[in-house]
Coordinates of all heavy atoms in Angstrom, one line a residue:
M1 N 30.9 -21.6 27.1 CA 30.6 -20.5 26.2 C 29.4 -19.7 26.8 O 28.5 -20.1 27.2 CB 30.1 -21.1 24.9 CG 29.6 -20.2 23.8 SD 29.0 -21.2 22.5 CE 29.2 -20.1 21.2
V2 N 29.7 -18.3 26.8 CA 28.7 -17.4 27.4 C 28.0 -16.8 26.2 O 28.4 -16.3 25.2 CB 29.5 -16.3 28.2 CG1 28.4 -15.3 28.7 CG2 30.2 -16.9 29.2
R3 N 26.6 -16.8 26.4 CA 25.8 -16.2 25.4 C 25.2 -14.9 26.0 O 24.9 -14.8 27.2 CB 24.6 -17.1 25.1 CG 25.0 -18.3 24.3 CD 23.8 -19.1 23.8 NE 22.8 -19.2 24.8 CZ 21.5 -19.4 24.5 NH1 21.1 -19.4 23.3 NH2 20.6 -19.5 25.5
N4 N 25.1 -13.9 25.2 CA 24.5 -12.6 25.5 C 22.9 -12.8 25.3 O 22.6 -12.7 24.2 CB 25.0 -11.5 24.8 CG 24.4 -10.2 25.2 OD1 23.7 -10.1 26.1 ND2 24.9 -9.1 24.5
I5 N 22.2 -13.1 26.3 CA 20.8 -13.2 26.2 C 20.0 -11.9 26.6 O 18.8 -12.0 26.6 CB 20.3 -14.4 27.1 CG1 20.6 -14.1 28.6 CG2 20.9 -15.7 26.6 CD1 20.0 -15.1 29.5
R6 N 20.6 -10.9 26.8 CA 20.0 -9.6 27.1 C 19.4 -9.1 25.8 O 20.0 -9.0 24.7 CB 21.0 -8.5 27.6 CG 21.5 -9.0 29.0 CD 22.5 -8.0 29.4 NE 21.8 -7.0 30.2 CZ 22.3 -5.9 30.7 NH1 23.5 -5.5 30.3 NH2 21.6 -5.1 31.4
T7 N 18.2 -8.6 25.8 CA 17.5 -8.1 24.7 C 17.0 -6.6 25.1 O 16.8 -6.3 26.3 CB 16.3 -8.8 24.3 OG1 15.4 -9.0 25.4 CG2 16.7 -10.2 23.8
A8 N 16.8 -5.8 24.1 CA 16.4 -4.4 24.4 C 15.0 -4.4 25.0 O 14.1 -5.3 24.5 CB 16.4 -3.7 23.1
P9 N 14.7 -3.5 26.0 CA 13.3 -3.5 26.4 C 12.3 -3.1 25.3 O 12.7 -2.4 24.4 CB 13.3 -2.5 27.4 CG 14.5 -1.7 27.3 CD 15.5 -2.6 26.4
R10 N 11.2 -3.8 25.3 CA 10.2 -3.4 24.3 C 8.9 -3.0 24.9 O 8.6 -3.2 26.0 CB 9.9 -4.8 23.4 CG 11.2 -5.4 22.9 CD 11.1 -6.2 21.7 NE 10.1 -5.9 20.8 CZ 10.4 -5.2 19.6 NH1 11.5 -4.8 19.3 NH2 9.5 -5.1 18.8
G11 N 8.2 -2.3 24.1 CA 6.8 -1.9 24.4 C 6.6 -1.1 25.7 O 7.0 0.1 25.8
L12 N 6.0 -1.7 26.7 CA 5.6 -1.0 27.9 C 6.8 -0.6 28.8 O 6.7 0.3 29.5 CB 4.6 -1.8 28.7 CG 3.3 -2.1 28.0 CD1 2.4 -3.0 28.8 CD2 2.6 -0.8 27.7
V13 N 7.9 -1.3 28.8 CA 9.0 -1.0 29.7 C 10.1 -0.2 29.2 O 10.9 0.3 29.8 CB 9.6 -2.3 30.3 CG1 8.6 -3.1 31.1 CG2 10.2 -3.2 29.2
A14 N 10.0 0.0 27.8 CA 11.1 0.8 27.1 C 10.9 2.3 27.5 O 9.8 2.8 27.4 CB 11.1 0.6 25.6
P15 N 12.0 3.0 27.8 CA 11.9 4.5 28.0 C 11.6 5.2 26.7 O 12.1 4.9 25.7 CB 13.3 4.9 28.5 CG 14.2 3.7 28.1 CD 13.4 2.5 28.0
L16 N 10.8 6.2 26.8 CA 10.4 7.0 25.7 C 10.5 8.5 26.1 O 10.1 8.8 27.3 CB 8.9 6.8 25.2 CG 8.7 5.6 24.4 CD1 7.2 5.6 24.1 CD2 9.5 5.6 23.1
S17 N 11.0 9.3 25.2 CA 11.1 10.8 25.6 C 9.7 11.3 25.5 O 8.8 10.7 24.9 CB 11.9 11.5 24.6 OG 11.4 11.5 23.2
Q18 N 9.4 12.5 26.1 CA 8.2 13.1 26.1 C 7.7 13.4 24.6 O 6.5 13.3 24.4 CB 8.1 14.4 26.9 CG 8.2 14.1 28.4 CD 7.0 13.2 29.0 OE1 5.9 13.5 28.6 NE2 7.4 12.2 29.7
T19 N 8.7 13.8 23.8 CA 8.2 14.1 22.3 C 7.8 12.9 21.6 O 7.0 12.8 20.8 CB 9.4 14.8 21.7 OG1 10.6 14.1 21.8 CG2 9.6 16.2 22.2
A20 N 8.6 11.8 21.9 CA 8.2 10.4 21.2 C 6.8 10.0 21.7 O 6.0 9.5 20.9 CB 9.3 9.4 21.4
L21 N 6.6 10.1 22.9 CA 5.3 9.8 23.5 C 4.1 10.7 22.9 O 3.0 10.2 22.5 CB 5.3 9.9 25.0 CG 4.0 9.3 25.7 CD1 3.8 7.8 25.4 CD2 4.3 9.6 27.3
A22 N 4.4 12.0 22.7 CA 3.5 12.9 22.1 C 3.2 12.5 20.7 O 2.1 12.6 20.2 CB 4.1 14.3 22.2
A23 N 4.3 12.1 19.9 CA 4.1 11.7 18.6 C 3.2 10.4 18.4 O 2.3 10.4 17.6 CB 5.5 11.5 17.9
L24 N 3.4 9.6 19.4 CA 2.6 8.4 19.4 C 1.1 8.7 19.8 O 0.2 8.1 19.1 CB 3.1 7.4 20.5 CG 2.3 5.9 20.7 CD1 2.4 5.1 19.4 CD2 2.9 5.3 21.9
R25 N 0.9 9.6 20.6 CA -0.5 10.0 21.0 C -1.1 10.7 19.8 O -2.2 10.5 19.5 CB -0.4 11.0 22.2 CG -1.7 11.3 22.8 CD -1.8 11.9 24.1 NE -1.5 10.9 25.1 CZ -0.4 10.7 25.9 NH1 0.4 11.7 25.8 NH2 -0.3 9.8 26.7
A26 N -0.3 11.6 19.1 CA -0.8 12.3 17.9 C -1.3 11.4 16.8 O -2.3 11.5 16.2 CB 0.2 13.3 17.5
L27 N -0.3 10.4 16.6 CA -0.7 9.3 15.6 C -2.0 8.6 15.9 O -2.9 8.4 15.1 CB 0.4 8.3 15.4 CG 0.2 7.2 14.5 CD1 -0.1 7.8 13.0 CD2 1.3 6.2 14.4
H28 N -2.2 8.3 17.2 CA -3.3 7.6 17.7 C -4.6 8.4 17.6 O -5.7 7.9 17.1 CB -3.2 7.1 19.1 CG -4.3 6.4 19.8 ND1 -4.7 5.2 19.3 CD2 -5.2 6.7 20.7 CE1 -5.9 4.8 19.9 NE2 -6.0 5.8 20.8
E29 N -4.6 9.6 18.0 CA -5.8 10.5 18.1 C -6.1 11.1 16.8 O -7.3 11.3 16.5 CB -5.6 11.6 19.1 CG -5.4 11.0 20.5 CD -5.1 12.0 21.6 OE1 -4.8 13.2 21.2 OE2 -5.1 11.7 22.8
T30 N -5.1 11.6 15.9 CA -5.4 12.3 14.8 C -4.9 11.7 13.5 O -5.1 12.3 12.5 CB -4.9 13.7 14.9 OG1 -3.5 13.7 15.0 CG2 -5.4 14.5 16.2
N31 N -4.2 10.6 13.7 CA -3.6 10.0 12.4 C -2.6 10.8 11.7 O -2.6 10.7 10.5 CB -4.6 9.3 11.5 CG -4.1 8.2 10.7 OD1 -3.1 7.5 11.0 ND2 -4.8 7.9 9.6
R32 N -1.9 11.7 12.4 CA -1.0 12.6 11.8 C 0.3 11.9 11.5 O 0.7 10.9 12.2 CB -0.6 13.8 12.8 CG -1.6 15.0 12.6 CD -1.0 16.1 13.4 NE -1.5 16.0 14.7 CZ -1.0 16.6 15.7 NH1 0.0 17.6 15.5 NH2 -1.5 16.5 16.9
E33 N 1.1 12.4 10.6 CA 2.5 11.8 10.3 C 3.3 12.2 11.5 O 3.3 13.4 11.9 CB 2.9 12.5 9.0 CG 4.1 11.8 8.4 CD 4.0 10.3 8.0 OE1 2.8 10.0 7.7 OE2 4.9 9.6 8.0
I34 N 4.3 11.2 11.8 CA 5.0 11.5 13.0 C 6.5 11.7 12.3 O 6.8 11.1 11.3 CB 5.1 10.5 14.0 CG1 5.4 9.1 13.4 CG2 3.8 10.4 14.6 CD1 5.4 8.0 14.4
P35 N 7.4 12.5 13.0 CA 8.7 12.7 12.6 C 9.6 11.4 12.5 O 9.4 10.4 13.2 CB 9.4 13.5 13.7 CG 8.2 14.1 14.4 CD 7.2 13.2 14.3
Q36 N 10.5 11.3 11.5 CA 11.3 10.1 11.2 C 12.1 9.6 12.4 O 12.2 8.5 12.7 CB 12.2 10.4 10.1 CG 13.1 9.2 9.7 CD 12.3 8.1 9.1 OE1 11.3 8.2 8.5 NE2 12.9 6.8 9.3
E37 N 12.6 10.7 13.2 CA 13.4 10.3 14.4 C 12.6 9.4 15.4 O 13.1 8.5 16.0 CB 14.0 11.5 15.1 CG 12.9 12.4 15.6 CD 13.4 13.8 15.8 OE1 14.3 14.3 15.1 OE2 12.9 14.4 16.8
H38 N 11.3 9.7 15.6 CA 10.4 9.0 16.5 C 9.8 7.7 15.8 O 9.7 6.7 16.5 CB 9.4 9.9 17.0 CG 9.8 11.1 17.7 ND1 10.6 11.1 18.7 CD2 9.5 12.3 17.5 CE1 11.0 12.3 19.2 NE2 10.2 13.1 18.4
R39 N 9.6 7.8 14.6 CA 9.1 6.7 13.8 C 9.9 5.4 14.0 O 9.5 4.3 14.2 CB 8.9 7.0 12.3 CG 8.1 5.9 11.6 CD 7.9 6.3 10.1 NE 7.3 7.6 9.9 CZ 7.8 8.4 9.1 NH1 8.8 8.2 8.3 NH2 7.3 9.7 9.0
C40 N 11.2 5.6 13.8 CA 12.2 4.5 13.8 C 12.1 3.8 15.2 O 12.1 2.6 15.4 CB 13.6 4.9 13.6 SG 13.8 5.4 11.8
R41 N 12.2 4.6 16.3 CA 12.1 4.1 17.6 C 10.8 3.4 17.9 O 10.8 2.2 18.5 CB 12.3 5.2 18.6 CG 12.2 4.8 20.1 CD 13.6 4.4 20.6 NE 13.5 4.4 22.1 CZ 13.6 3.2 22.8 NH1 14.2 2.2 22.1 NH2 13.6 3.1 24.0
L42 N 9.7 4.0 17.6 CA 8.4 3.4 17.9 C 8.2 2.1 17.0 O 7.5 1.2 17.6 CB 7.3 4.4 17.5 CG 7.3 5.7 18.4 CD1 6.3 6.7 18.0 CD2 7.1 5.3 19.9
L43 N 8.7 2.0 15.8 CA 8.6 0.9 15.1 C 9.4 -0.3 15.6 O 9.0 -1.3 15.8 CB 9.0 1.1 13.6 CG 8.0 1.6 12.6 CD1 8.8 2.1 11.3 CD2 7.0 0.7 12.3
D44 N 10.6 0.1 16.1 CA 11.5 -0.9 16.7 C 10.9 -1.5 18.0 O 11.0 -2.7 18.3 CB 12.9 -0.3 17.0 CG 13.8 -1.3 17.5 OD1 14.0 -2.3 17.0 OD2 14.5 -1.0 18.5
L45 N 10.2 -0.7 18.7 CA 9.6 -1.2 20.0 C 8.3 -1.8 19.8 O 7.7 -2.4 20.8 CB 9.3 0.1 20.9 CG 10.6 0.6 21.4 CD1 10.2 1.9 22.2 CD2 11.4 -0.3 22.3
G46 N 7.7 -1.8 18.6 CA 6.5 -2.5 18.1 C 5.3 -1.7 18.6 O 4.3 -2.3 18.8
L47 N 5.4 -0.5 18.8 CA 4.4 0.4 19.3 C 3.5 0.9 18.1 O 2.4 1.3 18.3 CB 4.8 1.6 20.2 CG 5.6 1.2 21.3 CD1 6.2 2.5 22.1 CD2 4.7 0.5 22.4
I48 N 4.1 0.9 17.0 CA 3.4 1.3 15.7 C 3.8 0.3 14.7 O 4.7 -0.4 14.8 CB 3.7 2.8 15.2 CG1 5.2 2.9 14.9 CG2 3.2 3.8 16.3 CD1 5.6 4.3 14.2
E49 N 3.1 0.3 13.6 CA 3.3 -0.6 12.4 C 2.8 0.1 11.1 O 2.0 1.0 11.2 CB 2.6 -1.9 12.6 CG 1.1 -1.9 12.6 CD 0.5 -3.3 12.8 OE1 1.2 -4.2 13.2 OE2 -0.8 -3.3 12.9
T50 N 3.4 -0.3 10.0 CA 3.0 0.3 8.8 C 1.8 -0.4 8.3 O 1.6 -1.6 8.5 CB 4.2 0.0 7.7 OG1 4.5 -1.4 7.5 CG2 5.4 0.8 8.1
A51 N 0.9 0.4 7.7 CA -0.3 -0.1 7.1 C -0.4 0.4 5.7 O 0.4 1.2 5.3 CB -1.5 0.4 7.9
T52 N -1.4 0.0 5.0 CA -1.5 0.3 3.5 C -1.7 1.9 3.4 O -1.4 2.5 2.5 CB -2.6 -0.5 2.8 OG1 -3.8 -0.3 3.6 CG2 -2.3 -1.8 2.8
D53 N -2.4 2.4 4.4 CA -2.8 3.8 4.4 C -1.8 4.7 5.3 O -2.2 5.8 5.6 CB -4.2 4.1 4.7 CG -4.6 3.6 6.1 OD1 -3.8 2.7 6.7 OD2 -5.6 3.9 6.6
G54 N -0.7 4.2 5.6 CA 0.2 5.0 6.5 C 0.7 4.1 7.7 O 0.7 2.9 7.7
M55 N 0.8 4.8 8.8 CA 1.2 4.1 10.1 C 0.0 4.0 11.0 O -0.9 4.8 10.9 CB 2.3 5.0 10.8 CG 3.5 5.4 10.0 SD 4.3 4.0 9.4 CE 5.2 3.4 10.9
K56 N 0.1 3.0 11.8 CA -1.1 2.9 12.8 C -0.4 2.4 14.2 O 0.6 1.6 14.1 CB -2.1 2.0 12.3 CG -1.8 0.6 12.2 CD -3.1 -0.3 11.9 CE -2.8 -1.7 12.1 NZ -4.0 -2.5 11.9
V57 N -1.2 2.7 15.2 CA -0.7 2.2 16.5 C -1.2 0.8 16.8 O -2.2 0.4 16.5 CB -1.3 3.3 17.6 CG1 -1.0 2.9 19.0 CG2 -0.9 4.6 17.2
T58 N -0.2 0.0 17.3 CA -0.6 -1.4 17.6 C -1.2 -1.5 19.0 O -1.4 -0.5 19.7 CB 0.7 -2.2 17.7 OG1 1.6 -1.7 18.7 CG2 1.5 -2.2 16.3
A59 N -1.6 -2.6 19.3 CA -2.3 -2.8 20.6 C -1.4 -2.6 21.8 O -1.9 -1.9 22.7 CB -2.8 -4.3 20.7
I60 N -0.1 -2.9 21.7 CA 0.8 -2.5 22.8 C 1.1 -1.1 22.8 O 1.2 -0.6 23.9 CB 2.1 -3.4 22.7 CG1 2.9 -3.4 23.9 CG2 2.9 -3.0 21.5 CD1 4.0 -4.4 24.1
G61 N 0.9 -0.4 21.7 CA 1.1 1.0 21.6 C -0.1 1.7 22.3 O 0.1 2.6 23.1
R62 N -1.3 1.2 22.2 CA -2.4 1.7 22.9 C -2.3 1.5 24.4 O -2.7 2.4 25.2 CB -3.7 1.1 22.3 CG -4.0 1.6 20.9 CD -5.4 1.2 20.4 NE -5.5 -0.3 20.3 CZ -5.1 -0.9 19.2 NH1 -4.6 -0.4 18.2 NH2 -5.2 -2.3 19.1
E63 N -1.7 0.3 24.8 CA -1.6 0.1 26.2 C -0.5 1.0 26.7 O -0.7 1.5 27.9 CB -1.1 -1.4 26.4 CG -2.0 -2.5 26.2 CD -1.6 -3.8 26.4 OE1 -0.7 -4.0 27.3 OE2 -1.8 -4.8 25.6
R64 N 0.5 1.4 26.0 CA 1.5 2.2 26.4 C 0.9 3.7 26.7 O 1.2 4.3 27.6 CB 2.6 2.4 25.4 CG 3.7 3.3 25.7 CD 4.5 2.9 27.0 NE 5.4 3.8 27.4 CZ 6.8 3.7 27.3 NH1 7.2 2.6 26.7 NH2 7.6 4.6 27.6
L65 N 0.0 4.1 25.7 CA -0.6 5.4 25.9 C -1.5 5.4 27.2 O -1.5 6.4 28.0 CB -1.5 5.6 24.7 CG -0.7 6.1 23.4 CD1 -1.7 6.0 22.3 CD2 0.0 7.3 23.7
V66 N -2.2 4.3 27.6 CA -3.0 4.3 28.7 C -2.1 4.3 30.0 O -2.4 5.0 31.0 CB -3.9 3.0 28.7 CG1 -4.5 2.9 30.0 CG2 -4.9 3.2 27.6
S67 N -1.0 3.6 30.0 CA -0.1 3.5 31.1 C 0.7 4.7 31.4 O 1.2 4.9 32.5 CB 0.9 2.3 31.0 OG 1.8 2.4 30.0
D68 N 0.9 5.5 30.4 CA 1.7 6.8 30.5 C 0.9 8.0 30.8 O 1.3 9.1 30.6 CB 2.6 6.9 29.3 CG 3.8 6.2 29.4 OD1 4.2 5.7 30.6 OD2 4.4 5.9 28.3
R69 N -0.5 7.9 31.1 CA -1.3 9.0 31.4 C -1.0 9.6 32.7 O -0.6 9.1 33.7 CB -2.7 8.7 31.3 CG -3.1 8.5 29.8 CD -4.5 8.4 29.8 NE -4.9 8.1 28.3 CZ -5.7 8.7 27.6 NH1 -6.5 9.6 28.2 NH2 -5.9 8.4 26.4

């Protein structure tokens, strides 16, 4: 029996478009609302999370911002 053990890349190795990266940076720097199309991808990758007062960048999201400078 063959199992599919491949998983989607997460966090630092997952490809992001320039607009998604800009949305992540805007959320981190100014706490602005980000577009729904980017929000879903960033949530799936664990780069952002929901908080009581909106969305916030996770620790791995901050690492991603540093690594993509």
Side-chain angles (χ1 to χ4, degrees):
M1 175 187 210
V2 177
R3 291 187 316 152
N4 184 2
I5 58 172
R6 298 177 89 191
T7 57
R10 302 200 43 92
L12 296 177
V13 297
L16 280 181
S17 67
Q18 290 299 313
T19 53
L21 190 58
L24 180 64
R25 186 166 286 117
L27 177 65
H28 178 66
E29 293 174 354
T30 63
N31 205 19
R32 271 191 277 167
E33 192 64 28
I34 59 176
Q36 180 66 29
E37 60 196 33
H38 301 308
R39 186 180 311 133
C40 292
R41 174 95 170 119
L42 297 173
L43 277 168
D44 185 48
L45 294 173
L47 299 174
I48 63 173
E49 63 187 5
T50 56
T52 56
D53 57 344
M55 306 300 286
K56 71 176 195 173
V57 179
T58 63
I60 197 166
R62 289 187 295 277
E63 287 180 44
R64 178 64 186 254
L65 288 171
V66 169
S67 70
D68 280 338
R69 285 191 184 227

